[in-house]
Amino acid sequence: MIRVLVADDQAMVRAGFAALLGAQPDVEVVGEAENGAEAIAIALATAPDVVLMDVRMPVLDGISATRRIVAECPGTRVVVLTTFDVDDYVLDAIRAGASGFLTKDAPPDELVAAVRVVARGDALLAPGVTRRLIERLAAAPEPAAAASGSTLDGLTQREREVLVEVARGRSNQEIATTLVIAEQTVKTHVSRVLGKLGLRDRAQAVVAAYESGLVVAGD
């Protein structure tokens, strides 16, 4: 069973998500929270596999709550619920440790699929969110402090190539086609890149690629 915590300050939205997920044979809703502080408390008490986290909530926002939950509940992954008019939060949420993003108007089957994807350890970025994230990173005037690329020194040439493709928002299948290698080989390379760089998932890999200077605007 996938144990899920739903955090949203709108009672009807929260109840709707909980009802939808609770109806799935492989999902158990272990709690509902109306603010970030309550989400942290419930997560610490129940250690859910996945937290559906709204960004803008009273008492404590979803970004701060995500950071705390990821730090104190290493087995828990967070899917941030966002809308296109709050794109400014996306990069901060990834840095806080979020593993997935989903728009609130996504169809019910996408919400359920997102929970399953993140629960098995993969990252999930809705296509629109991925595009906007990449555009924002590419628009940064200078890479961040790690721009020397020293953090990537441990990567092989092929691993760097795979990371570049990940940063461009491409799937494993698309990367396999571009680099003319097997999809399973791509998965292996992605796993090694994440391990060497100490990253949780592909979402953080996108940020690392831009902030290290490996990928720059116009690439």
Side-chain angles (χ1 to χ4, degrees):
M1 294 291 286
I2 302 171
R3 305 172 73 252
V4 179
L5 164 62
V6 179
D8 195 295
D9 64 331
Q10 298 182 38
M12 291 185 64
V13 172
R14 191 170 64 246
F17 287 158
L20 171 65
L21 293 169
Q24 306 306 310
D26 58 339
V27 178
E28 175 188 3
V29 178
V30 297
E32 297 179 38
E34 63 181 4
N35 60 63
E38 191 172 308
I40 292 171
I42 297 176
L44 291 175
T46 64
D49 299 304
V50 178
V51 178
L52 286 182
M53 182 76 76
D54 188 19
V55 172
R56 294 185 289 190
M57 293 185 291
V59 184
L60 188 69
D61 64 86
I63 305 295
S64 299
T66 294
R67 185 175 296 107
R68 175 85 180 274
I69 289 171
V70 168
E72 300 195 27
C73 304
T76 298
R77 291 181 172 264
V78 178
V79 175
V80 170
L81 299 171
T82 185
T83 55
F84 289 153
D85 63 344
V86 293
D87 288 333
D88 287 348
Y89 294 110
V90 173
L91 184 54
D92 290 338
I94 289 180
R95 287 172 172 152
S99 294
F101 292 86
L102 199 67
T103 55
K104 283 192 173 183
D105 59 355
D109 59 334
E110 286 189 18
L111 174 65
V112 175
V115 168
R116 290 172 177 150
V117 165
V118 173
R120 67 171 178 255
D122 295 328
L124 178 136
L125 291 172
V129 175
T130 303
R131 186 179 68 255
R132 285 167 172 75
L133 170 63
I134 290 173
E135 288 172 352
R136 183 171 179 193
L137 287 167
E142 295 291 342
S148 63
S150 60
T151 57
L152 306 183
D153 287 348
L155 301 184
T156 66
Q157 181 59 37
R158 178 61 86 185
E159 288 166 352
R160 284 172 176 256
E161 293 170 351
V162 169
L163 179 55
V164 167
E165 299 304 319
V166 169
R168 289 171 175 160
R170 291 178 177 148
S171 67
N172 286 346
Q173 184 176 14
E174 291 170 333
I175 295 172
T177 299
T178 299
L179 300 181
V180 196
I181 56 178
E183 186 173 350
Q184 184 56 50
T185 302
V186 174
K187 292 180 180 178
T188 299
H189 284 313
V190 171
S191 178
R192 287 175 178 168
V193 167
L194 298 180
K196 287 181 178 181
L197 299 183
L199 306 173
R200 287 171 61 90
D201 47 46
R202 297 169 81 99
Q204 291 190 333
V206 172
V207 176
Y210 278 92
E211 294 195 330
S212 68
L214 180 64
V215 179
V216 297
D219 277 2

